[in-house]
Amino acid sequence: MKRQTVNTLLNILAWRSIQAVFVALFVGIVCFFAAQGLGGNMAYRIAGGRYGIDLMDSSTAESVARELGLDRSLWVRLVEWLGDSLTFNFGNSLVSGSPVIEEVGHTLGHSLTLAGASIVLSVFIAVPLGVLAAKHPNSWFDKTLLFCSVSLKSVPNFVIGILLVMLFAVQMKLLPAAGHGDFSYLILPTLTLALGLAAVSVQVVRDSTLGVRNSTYFLFSRIKGLSDAQTFQRHGWRNLLVPVVAFLGIQFITIVEGVVVIETLFAWPGIGHSLVHAIFARDIPIVQGAAVAMGLIFVAMNALVDIAVLLLDPREGGKS
Amino acid sequence: MLVVKNLSVKTLDGNMIVNPVSFELVAGEALTIVGETGSGKTLLAQAIANNLPEGLIAEGEIYLHDQAIHTLSADDRNALWGKTICVLPQEPTRSLDPTMHAIKQVKEGYQIVKGLNSSDATAQASHDFECVKLPHATHKYPFELSGGMAQRVAFLASRSGGATFTVADEPTKGLDANRRDDIAKQLRSLIEKNEGVFTITHDIDVAHQLGGRVMIMRKGDVIEVGESQQVLSHPAHPYTQELIDADPRRWPKREAKSNKDPSIVNAKNLSKSRGGKALFSDVSLSLHPGQIIGVSGDSGCGKSTLGDMLLGLLPSDSGTIEWAHKNNEKHKAQKLFQDPTDVFSAHVPLRTSFNDLMKKYHIGQDKLTGLLAELRLDESLIDRNPDQVSGGELQRLAIVRVMLLDPTFIFADEPTSRLDMLTQKAVIEALVNVVKHSDVAIMIVSHDKALLSSVCDELITL
Amino acid sequence: MLCYIITLFLEITFPFVDPRANTSMKYLKKSLIIAALAGAALSLQAQTITITSPWELKSKDPTVGGYAFTRMGITETLVSINKAGGLKPQLATDWSVSDDKKVWTFTLRNNVTFSDGEALTADAVIHALEVAKEKPGPLKGVPILSMQSKNNSVVFTLEKPYTLLPAALGHHTTMILSPKAYDKDGDVNQVVGTGPFNVKEFTPPQRLSIVKKDDYWGEKASIDEIEYIAASRSVTRALMAESKPSIIAYSLDAASISRLKHNPKLDVMSIMLPRVITIKVNHKHPFMQDINVRQAMSQAINRNGIAASLLRSPEIKTTQLLPPSLSQWHNTDLEPFQYNADNAKALLEKAGFTFNGEGYAEKDGKVFEITMRTYSDRPELPLIANAIQDQFKKIGIKMDISIGSYTEVPGGHQDGTLEVALMSRNYATVQSPLNNIASDFGRGGADWGAMNWENEAVAKALDALKLDNTDDAADANRALVTRAIQEELPVIPVIWYKQSVVVSKNLKGVSLDPFDTTYRLNEIELVK
């Protein structure tokens, strides 16, 4: 690795670390105020979230308010949160009482597992198909693939999920329909998400590959005497992956943060799902914890993409 | 070395683009095709190298090293690349893989195409880099190389497969004179090694330097063939002469105009920045009647911006602009666009456009007739629609349109960059003619320094 | 609407995925079986059954997430519920009350151990109840002066008579956990109970798996392992019901039920719950304080229409406050609610209203205009509110709907701004409706009960019932209360709830509990 590349790498890490701190602070504070601004009396909400709506009334709400000190001023509570956060104490869930770090960690772990597995699977689907389609643009294969990807994109994810469940769980009884546990539970939600992701990324791969194949340097390598396969191996992959890696990073973030529908369909205890529940119950520490965790993943993912692109594309090394 | 018999290029539906041509290339002697854009010279080269664009097919016989390569399958033809036929790239910077070290791109030819083992291939490639005086560039990426360095790397890379027959298609396109001479030298060195060099160019100078034989092409036909010295200094065909004369470097130098008259415009200390980056600063200029001033510089340096600033179309960051004409005479300063279709309505006869203009400014018909004659344009042309006249004619009509308004200043923004050489010459001559017969001053923006230095009284380089 | 689309979608796609319909499907299936992971196939061979419901697991705290542990048979309470809906002994073998009704003695069952090996003692019970008493729940409302252990029994001394003590001791918040289950602050770190099952894995919010306990004191479970999956979507639960070999799926929507009814491997069971959708009415409102107006409002509601067309179950329309499944509190002598819009208008006229040009009721120059608060946590509420809005309009009541947070019901009750609210009320948070009826319709009303309505006769009857709900006067008192509610309408009942459960046919012994306190999993057998 060149010194310039190492410098850029350190630059990325330094810059992203600073960004991470700011994102965490900003998101935490915004969540804090946003939760105050949500409708409904907070003590009632928390009491309802804890004990169920049936056991919630003004007296339980009052005891909750007393217990949590909700009558203290906003600023006192915010400063308290900030102070605790600095010592890596993110508090306890207002509903379950368990530490935020434990609860968010649990759901975040599940979300990351699902998102990571989906991305990996989508890469295994999209990259070979996209590369193959770009080898013969406008061939029947390319057109069929485009048709499939457009149709798949237009179908909501949960419909794909239901179809897969009907096929693999209801009809064939090969895989569990929902829940989490051993590896088999991961397959259907992963496949559901991966199909949706691949439907989009396959076109990115195809276009990127086509761009590389039509590039002057690709043609020059051919005319230098390298065969198509040799050229593709030496000058194709690296170049076509640069935009694809950046795109996958974006996809990863969107599925960590945006798969509530799939999580509920498969009863998967992900972070999106828990965030929604926490918002309903005004479980501010969990909302803050989940949102901050998501923000940090966003930053981390961007850093990873930056680094991957830096390693793939030496031109990035020249920028700072 | 290369024998071509009745080689032609057609579209799939049978339209002949390059008419059958026969020629022979002898090892150790250059063969250069000279022609304008659209003459079919590039297609001829591609037909030989077998990299014609999709939808075009070649017919005829090609013998390379006595092998009838026109009988080979497409795959077998492609297998000649690198080993037998070397094709120099037109755009060296873009022809190198941006993500790979320079030396690797040369080495892979030795290793994969020529079949050397890895260390021999590396040694060979390093040696090559030393030969072209680039030993320090081996582990650089293409974006770290200058245009000239990239050209040399691409030259090495394309020759690493060991071919002794080289096709060079417009190897000097868009290069300045020094770099052009470097490339001519490279090609000459190949010829001296008794290799075959087949060059396509529009540049008469390159043909001169390579020597050997030249073929002049025009609209798919070869109109003249012969020894380069003979053809280029005593052309038999009038078109060859025209081609030679169209090179701005061969244009007769325009007589300088004194600046005794009071200035039309006086600009002082103009500066402009875009996106936080200074385009230019402290530019001062003054224009006098009958003068032509040239503005040159790399693309994106703010050449057009400077002109638009004078016309008041863009504000300047600092500095002053003083016009001799009054504020209500804005039409005295005019702009000639790169693309003349911008100023004429596409679907009405040109005469309508002219009449509308003349009515608005109360201009008599005889003035139009006079200007058309002066620019050697047939008056019947203006009964056509804009898309029915050629690009050069339309640009000259645009000059007529501008001159109808009796301007004192014309800003001509790359007025010929879309035209080929012969037409370019006609348009520039028209502008020079206009200046000679009136008191207008012209500012021409162009990337072609030779063109500017042959016609301008003064040159500003941004 | 969504459910409808999904059902339609399922019905359309079914022929295509039915392997019997297509031979190429068989090949696909074969190849997929080969491709499928061994682990997936193996997991189906274990003798486990699945329970799925929308209720998520929250925490180990009995007051917060305790219902899951009692339902699943991990923990037990002193008192439990029998299949007729009455109280029955569980960890207490019997109980008695002193003549002054202030001292209750609960005799504990012998030879009961917690799953950590600790014996069930009176001290252990008192420790668990002391913790529960400090947290929200029915025990908090019991006027306990002291709890003492005496031999193998627990003696409660009350400040005043309180007949609902046994019912409160059946609530999940009073589950008895091993003393070692608590940390020094009284928080639960481990769910160690006396029930027929032990926790194998507890991963909130969605999964709990349990294994049978071989040394259970009572009827031992026959099924080795049971997993509980909280799945918030009805579609998911329906799909699980179709794919799992042995499952009990709780709380399915009408569309799924009508589809699963035809599945030869599944049975559908249902039970009426003590939960009612009612309209809470502010009796201080100048118009609605008139009983004629409330009667008019009740008669304006087409309960049958809402139950049959909106919710697809005609039997859940209310005829009175509580459904027949709560036999003690369902008064068969009462005249059922009637839908009669014409009569409703006549009642409004009787109350002094006239109808203006637009057809709205007016009195003293003021249009009858009210705002109904409701919330979407139960998705049927806004739909029903819309139907009621239309039906009220027909008799000249102009009603706006404000869909907000459920907190606005108790909030509006407290600050007095509430006019009417559509809400869902569980009348049996403990095993007797008396507890909530007494608080909702007794003196002062309640957040989820009557607002600014008091009836001295009702209050007295409820007081008497709280002292003793088993004596001869109890039936008459209950009849008095139910009749008063029916006639005076402190709240206007609209719809009951029915719990629909889908059960695999290979499960025998499944029974439903109207109070939803237990799934009675130890009684279930897996048959071939």
Side-chain angles (χ1 to χ4, degrees):
Chain A
M1 218 188 287
K2 284 198 170 184
R3 204 169 68 226
Q4 201 175 24
T5 310
V6 175
N7 283 344
T8 315
L9 195 77
L10 293 176
N11 263 342
I12 291 174
L13 290 176
W15 162 240
R16 291 293 181 188
S17 310
I18 295 167
Q19 197 188 11
V21 171
F22 276 98
V23 163
L25 272 178
F26 179 76
V27 169
I29 292 171
V30 165
C31 283
F32 182 82
F33 284 106
Q36 313 294 329
L38 289 171
N41 178 306
M42 188 163 325
Y44 281 106
R45 271 288 186 177
I46 296 167
R50 257 195 215 182
Y51 309 116
I53 302 177
D54 290 325
L55 282 185
M56 184 277 291
D57 58 21
S58 33
S59 69
T60 49
E62 208 177 291
S63 73
V64 164
R66 213 175 321 115
E67 176 198 325
L68 301 176
L70 293 178
D71 49 341
R72 291 174 305 157
S73 91
L74 225 57
W75 300 107
V76 173
R77 282 183 283 146
L78 180 65
V79 166
E80 187 185 85
W81 176 79
L82 282 174
D84 286 349
S85 299
L86 287 179
T87 58
F88 293 95
N89 170 12
F90 299 102
N92 294 335
S93 161
L94 301 185
V95 170
S96 70
S98 36
V100 167
I101 227 148
E102 207 174 273
E103 226 170 89
V104 170
H106 171 72
T107 54
L108 189 65
H110 278 92
S111 279
L112 290 177
T113 308
L114 183 56
S118 310
I119 285 283
V120 169
L121 184 58
S122 80
V123 166
F124 278 106
I125 298 170
V127 169
L129 291 179
V131 165
L132 211 57
K135 187 162 187 192
H136 302 288
N138 300 319
S139 63
W140 66 267
F141 178 77
D142 188 26
K143 283 175 182 159
T144 313
L145 193 68
L146 179 67
F147 176 78
C148 290
S149 110
V150 168
S151 341
L152 210 55
K153 258 190 279 184
S154 61
V155 182
N157 244 338
F158 80 92
V159 174
I160 302 176
I162 289 174
L163 255 177
L164 290 175
V165 170
M166 284 187 354
L167 188 65
F168 291 100
V170 176
Q171 287 295 313
M172 301 183 182
K173 314 231 183 280
L174 284 178
L175 296 166
H180 64 102
D182 61 37
F183 182 69
S184 63
Y185 287 90
L186 187 60
I187 298 174
L188 286 182
T190 300
L191 191 57
T192 304
L193 285 171
L195 284 177
L197 293 173
V200 184
S201 58
V202 75
Q203 293 302 321
V204 174
V205 173
R206 179 204 175 266
D207 293 348
S208 172
T209 309
L210 198 59
V212 169
R213 282 193 160 278
N214 288 337
S215 71
T216 314
Y217 58 82
F218 196 91
L219 299 176
F220 180 59
S221 167
R222 291 282 287 119
I223 219 136
K224 246 165 36 179
L226 274 66
S227 70
D228 188 77
Q230 287 164 339
T231 299
F232 198 78
Q233 191 225 326
R234 297 184 62 87
H235 303 289
W237 284 112
R238 203 179 170 97
N239 283 294
L240 80 87
L241 283 178
V242 173
V244 171
V245 162
F247 185 76
L248 291 177
I250 297 168
Q251 277 197 322
F252 183 84
I253 291 162
T254 56
I255 60 167
V256 173
E257 304 187 354
V259 287
V260 182
V261 174
I262 294 304
E263 284 173 2
T264 51
L265 179 64
F266 287 101
W268 189 262
I271 197 158
H273 187 64
S274 88
L275 183 62
V276 170
H277 277 262
I279 289 171
F280 278 126
R282 300 294 184 275
D283 194 346
I284 300 173
I286 294 284
V287 173
Q288 281 176 315
V292 168
M294 285 181 175
L296 292 180
I297 284 187
F298 181 82
V299 176
M301 203 59 222
N302 275 321
L304 277 179
V305 167
D306 285 352
I307 292 168
V309 169
L310 173 73
L311 296 180
L312 281 172
D313 187 350
R315 279 168 293 187
E316 292 295 314
K319 302 174 186 169
S320 56
Chain B
M1 181 176 255
L2 175 75
V3 178
V4 169
K5 289 184 185 158
N6 292 320
L7 183 61
S8 63
V9 178
K10 293 178 178 177
T11 60
L12 285 177
D13 45 14
N15 276 338
M16 195 73 89
I17 300 179
V18 176
N19 292 320
V21 54
S22 303
F23 57 87
E24 196 173 327
L25 180 145
V26 184
E29 186 185 65
L31 176 61
T32 308
I33 304 185
V34 181
E36 278 188 275
T37 316
S39 62
K41 59 189 196 301
T42 291
L43 295 178
L44 201 55
Q46 289 171 335
I48 292 166
N50 195 39
N51 59 346
L52 278 172
E54 235 173 279
L56 295 181
I57 42 172
E59 266 174 26
E61 298 167 35
I62 308 167
Y63 301 88
L64 184 60
H65 299 299
D66 298 329
Q67 188 187 9
I69 61 171
H70 57 280
T71 60
L72 298 176
S73 70
D75 284 347
D76 289 341
R77 281 289 291 275
N78 291 352
L80 299 175
W81 288 342
K83 293 193 189 86
T84 315
I85 301 179
C86 156
V87 182
L88 290 189
Q90 259 188 20
E91 300 167 286
T93 306
R94 293 180 55 199
S95 295
L96 298 173
D97 182 342
T99 62
M100 195 184 261
H101 280 151
I103 190 165
K104 278 192 181 175
Q105 307 197 38
V106 176
K107 179 195 164 189
E108 67 184 5
Y110 284 115
Q111 192 177 356
I112 296 171
V113 184
K114 216 173 183 181
L116 298 185
N117 66 36
S118 177
S119 56
D120 288 352
T122 308
Q124 215 20 283
S126 308
H127 175 75
D128 284 356
F129 272 79
E130 273 165 34
C131 286
V132 296
K133 303 191 177 68
L134 284 178
H136 53 286
T138 50
H139 288 81
K140 286 197 165 152
Y141 289 104
F143 74 95
E144 297 169 308
L145 303 175
S146 71
M149 288 156 84
Q151 194 279 328
R152 279 178 272 170
V153 173
F155 178 81
L156 296 179
S158 61
R159 294 189 37 81
S160 56
T164 53
F165 170 65
T166 299
V167 177
D169 182 10
E170 293 277 18
T172 62
K173 199 175 182 182
L175 300 183
D176 64 33
N178 294 336
R179 295 261 313 283
R180 186 194 59 196
D181 296 346
D182 282 348
I183 288 164
K185 240 182 252 164
Q186 272 174 1
L187 294 175
R188 278 236 42 99
S189 72
L190 299 181
I191 294 161
E192 279 153 18
K193 280 194 257 172
N194 210 28
E195 293 188 9
V197 175
F198 183 53
T199 311
I200 314 295
T201 186
H202 70 280
D203 191 324
I204 306 285
D205 267 5
V206 172
H208 248 304
Q209 292 183 37
L210 292 177
R213 293 168 67 79
V214 290
M215 283 165 53
I216 310 294
M217 274 189 86
R218 179 198 196 182
K219 289 178 186 157
D221 284 314
V222 173
I223 53 166
E224 192 171 355
V225 190
E227 289 299 322
S228 72
Q229 296 310 321
Q230 175 66 28
V231 172
L232 297 175
S233 38
H234 305 288
H237 198 285
Y239 176 75
T240 311
Q241 185 64 52
E242 264 185 74
L243 213 54
I244 292 166
D245 293 344
D247 185 344
R249 278 168 297 224
R250 288 162 192 268
W251 293 357
K253 180 85 178 120
R254 187 175 145 269
E255 238 174 81
K257 178 89 179 172
S258 68
N259 51 2
K260 274 182 276 176
D261 302 318
S263 68
I264 295 165
V265 62
N266 213 333
K268 279 193 186 125
N269 305 324
L270 298 179
S271 355
K272 184 78 185 175
S273 58
R274 193 185 292 142
K277 245 177 96 178
L279 289 175
F280 50 82
S281 59
D282 281 341
V283 173
S284 300
L285 57 94
S286 69
L287 269 165
H288 302 270
Q291 271 196 322
I292 301 180
I293 191 165
V295 182
S296 74
D298 297 327
S299 59
C301 71
K303 300 188 292 280
S304 304
T305 309
L306 178 64
D308 287 342
M309 222 156 84
L310 287 179
L311 294 182
L313 299 174
L314 286 172
S316 67
D317 293 350
S318 67
T320 53
I321 301 171
E322 281 167 37
W323 285 97
H325 64 246
K326 300 183 192 84
N327 259 349
N328 61 355
E329 292 177 322
K330 285 255 165 78
H331 62 272
K332 294 271 178 198
Q334 281 292 327
K335 180 169 178 179
L336 192 62
F337 291 86
Q338 183 178 9
D339 187 356
T341 54
D342 289 349
V343 292
F344 294 108
S345 316
H347 303 293
V348 279
L350 290 159
R351 188 180 288 280
T352 315
S353 301
F354 277 112
N355 284 345
D356 290 349
L357 186 80
M358 292 189 297
K359 219 191 246 168
K360 189 175 168 193
Y361 289 99
H362 311 290
I363 299 163
Q365 186 67 39
D366 47 336
K367 185 156 188 193
L368 174 63
T369 314
L371 277 167
L372 287 171
E374 201 181 309
L375 292 180
R376 283 175 294 170
L377 290 162
D378 197 307
E379 196 167 341
S380 67
L381 271 181
I382 63 169
D383 289 320
R384 302 188 195 166
N385 284 356
D387 54 354
Q388 291 164 329
V389 303
S390 75
E393 286 164 340
L394 196 64
Q395 189 63 292
R396 278 187 284 160
L397 286 166
I399 297 173
V400 170
R401 183 184 174 281
V402 164
M403 288 306 295
L404 279 172
L405 299 170
D406 263 335
T408 56
F409 171 75
I410 298 175
F411 166 42
D413 190 1
E414 298 269 16
T416 60
S417 64
R418 292 178 170 221
L419 306 174
D420 63 41
M421 288 163 60
L422 294 175
T423 325
Q424 162 171 293
K425 190 165 177 243
V427 168
I428 297 295
E429 276 171 356
L431 276 176
V432 169
N433 199 29
V434 156
V435 175
K436 198 186 267 176
H437 293 99
S438 67
D439 282 338
V440 71
I442 297 184
M443 181 165 118
I444 302 181
V445 162
S446 173
H447 63 277
D448 190 341
K449 246 184 168 165
L451 181 153
L452 293 178
S453 51
S454 74
V455 297
C456 296
D457 302 307
E458 205 179 304
L459 196 57
I460 298 174
T461 307
L462 291 182
Chain C
M1 187 63 191
L2 190 66
C3 295
Y4 176 74
I5 293 170
I6 288 166
T7 317
L8 202 68
F9 168 68
L10 290 177
E11 275 159 13
I12 293 165
T13 41
F14 245 76
F16 297 108
V17 289
D18 188 344
R20 283 156 300 188
N22 189 327
T23 45
S24 70
M25 206 62 211
K26 279 185 186 159
Y27 291 114
L28 177 60
K29 184 175 172 178
K30 261 187 194 164
S31 56
L32 283 165
I33 289 172
I34 295 162
L37 285 131
L42 281 173
S43 71
L44 294 179
Q45 287 167 4
Q47 289 286 310
T48 60
I49 73 165
T50 305
I51 314 273
T52 179
S53 88
W55 302 292
E56 297 206 333
L57 305 160
K58 289 190 222 162
S59 95
K60 291 172 183 161
D61 187 332
T63 41
V64 177
Y67 54 84
F69 303 120
T70 46
R71 282 176 190 168
M72 294 295 284
I74 299 159
T75 58
E76 293 175 313
T77 44
L78 293 184
V79 177
S80 176
I81 196 104
N82 63 28
K83 283 175 192 163
L87 299 177
K88 74 164 192 187
Q90 198 171 45
L91 292 179
T93 49
D94 58 72
W95 53 89
S96 59
V97 64
S98 64
D99 290 341
D100 69 353
K101 314 264 185 210
K102 285 185 180 172
V103 180
W104 289 79
T105 306
F106 285 77
T107 311
L108 297 184
R109 196 174 291 281
N110 287 317
N111 303 321
V112 175
T113 52
F114 292 102
S115 52
D116 62 359
E118 291 286 306
L120 176 82
T121 62
D123 287 333
V125 171
I126 290 170
H127 179 261
L129 295 179
E130 289 284 3
V131 175
K133 208 165 80 69
E134 295 310 311
K135 297 190 170 174
L139 202 59
K140 209 177 181 184
V142 181
I144 298 175
L145 281 178
S146 71
M147 288 185 275
Q148 276 150 346
S149 67
K150 190 173 157 196
N151 300 330
N152 195 31
S153 52
V154 179
V155 179
F156 296 81
T157 309
L158 305 186
E159 198 181 321
K160 59 181 183 189
Y162 192 82
T163 190
L164 283 174
L165 179 62
L169 293 174
H171 192 252
H172 66 80
T173 53
T174 66
M175 64 171 69
I176 308 301
L177 297 176
S178 163
K180 289 186 175 166
Y182 301 89
D183 67 14
K184 56 183 187 306
D185 301 326
D187 291 331
V188 174
N189 355 322
Q190 222 185 331
V191 183
V192 184
T194 55
F197 292 93
N198 279 338
V199 176
K200 185 184 173 201
E201 204 186 334
F202 176 60
T203 44
Q206 288 180 298
R207 193 163 178 273
L208 168 67
S209 71
I210 57 174
V211 287
K212 73 174 179 190
K213 193 198 272 180
D214 291 323
D215 57 350
Y216 180 56
W217 59 265
E219 183 184 341
K220 291 182 181 57
S222 104
I223 291 166
D224 301 320
E225 192 170 334
I226 300 176
E227 70 168 347
Y228 175 88
I229 295 176
S232 51
R233 276 173 187 263
S234 188
V235 187
T236 306
R237 297 193 295 277
L239 288 168
M240 285 171 73
E242 286 176 285
S243 60
K244 293 268 179 183
S246 315
I247 191 168
I248 309 174
Y250 280 85
S251 191
L252 288 167
D253 62 298
S256 297
I257 289 290
S258 60
R259 185 161 52 82
L260 297 182
K261 256 198 310 229
H262 305 296
N263 189 318
K265 289 183 177 168
L266 299 172
D267 275 328
V268 176
M269 298 170 76
S270 61
I271 189 169
M272 296 300 271
L273 297 177
R275 179 178 287 285
V276 189
I277 293 178
T278 63
I279 303 175
K280 180 182 168 88
V281 179
N282 184 350
H283 289 253
K284 263 199 186 143
H285 188 275
F287 295 157
M288 291 184 289
Q289 58 185 319
D290 187 333
I291 188 167
N292 286 312
V293 172
R294 299 198 300 270
Q295 287 286 359
M297 287 163 74
S298 177
Q299 288 184 23
I301 299 171
N302 182 353
R303 294 176 173 82
N304 193 46
I306 293 172
S309 24
L310 208 57
L311 305 171
R312 289 182 164 195
S313 326
E315 68 274 20
I316 61 172
K317 66 167 194 243
T318 53
T319 57
Q320 52 181 279
L321 182 66
L322 291 172
S325 60
L326 297 168
S327 50
Q328 275 191 324
W329 286 90
H330 183 81
N331 186 347
T332 47
D333 294 340
L334 296 178
E335 174 92 355
F337 293 128
Q338 294 293 326
Y339 167 56
N340 190 338
D342 292 338
N343 197 45
K345 285 179 97 165
L347 282 166
L348 285 181
E349 276 171 350
K350 194 171 150 195
F353 282 92
T354 54
F355 296 93
N356 68 15
E358 290 174 77
Y360 286 117
E362 263 184 29
K363 191 178 173 184
D364 308 328
K366 270 180 146 167
V367 175
F368 195 158
E369 203 174 348
I370 48 175
T371 299
M372 173 178 270
R373 298 186 189 185
T374 191
Y375 46 93
S376 52
D377 297 72
R378 287 187 176 269
E380 63 276 11
L381 289 180
L383 297 177
I384 297 172
N386 273 322
I388 294 172
Q389 184 182 40
D390 288 345
Q391 291 163 6
F392 277 2
K393 196 179 171 189
K394 285 191 189 135
I395 65 158
I397 301 173
K398 191 175 187 178
M399 186 179 86
D400 290 327
I401 299 173
S402 153
I403 300 172
S405 159
Y406 59 80
T407 63
E408 294 185 17
V409 178
H413 179 98
Q414 293 297 324
D415 64 19
T417 55
L418 187 141
E419 291 178 329
V420 287
L422 189 72
M423 62 189 193
S424 159
R425 175 66 168 150
N426 180 358
Y427 282 99
T429 42
V430 298
Q431 279 85 334
S432 163
L434 174 58
N435 192 46
N436 287 358
I437 295 219
S439 69
D440 281 7
F441 304 107
R443 289 187 183 82
D447 286 350
W448 297 99
M451 181 173 181
N452 302 319
W453 174 85
E454 265 182 44
N455 180 316
E456 192 49 34
V458 168
K460 274 187 177 152
L462 288 171
D463 284 345
L465 282 165
K466 277 202 273 187
L467 293 181
D468 192 342
N469 64 349
T470 54
D471 61 2
D472 301 340
D475 282 339
N477 279 331
R478 278 191 284 264
L480 184 148
V481 172
T482 48
R483 181 168 294 278
I485 293 171
Q486 187 83 349
E487 285 167 0
E488 295 196 19
L489 295 167
V491 297
I492 304 173
V494 183
I495 292 292
W496 291 322
Y497 271 87
K498 192 176 76 172
Q499 162 89 284
S500 290
V501 180
V502 165
V503 182
S504 299
K505 282 213 167 106
N506 61 3
L507 295 178
K508 290 283 169 285
V510 177
S511 59
L512 304 181
D513 166 14
F515 302 109
D516 232 357
T517 54
T518 174
Y519 296 151
R520 299 194 185 100
L521 296 177
N522 56 331
E523 297 174 11
I524 297 174
E525 277 177 70
L526 192 60
V527 293
K528 287 278 137 65

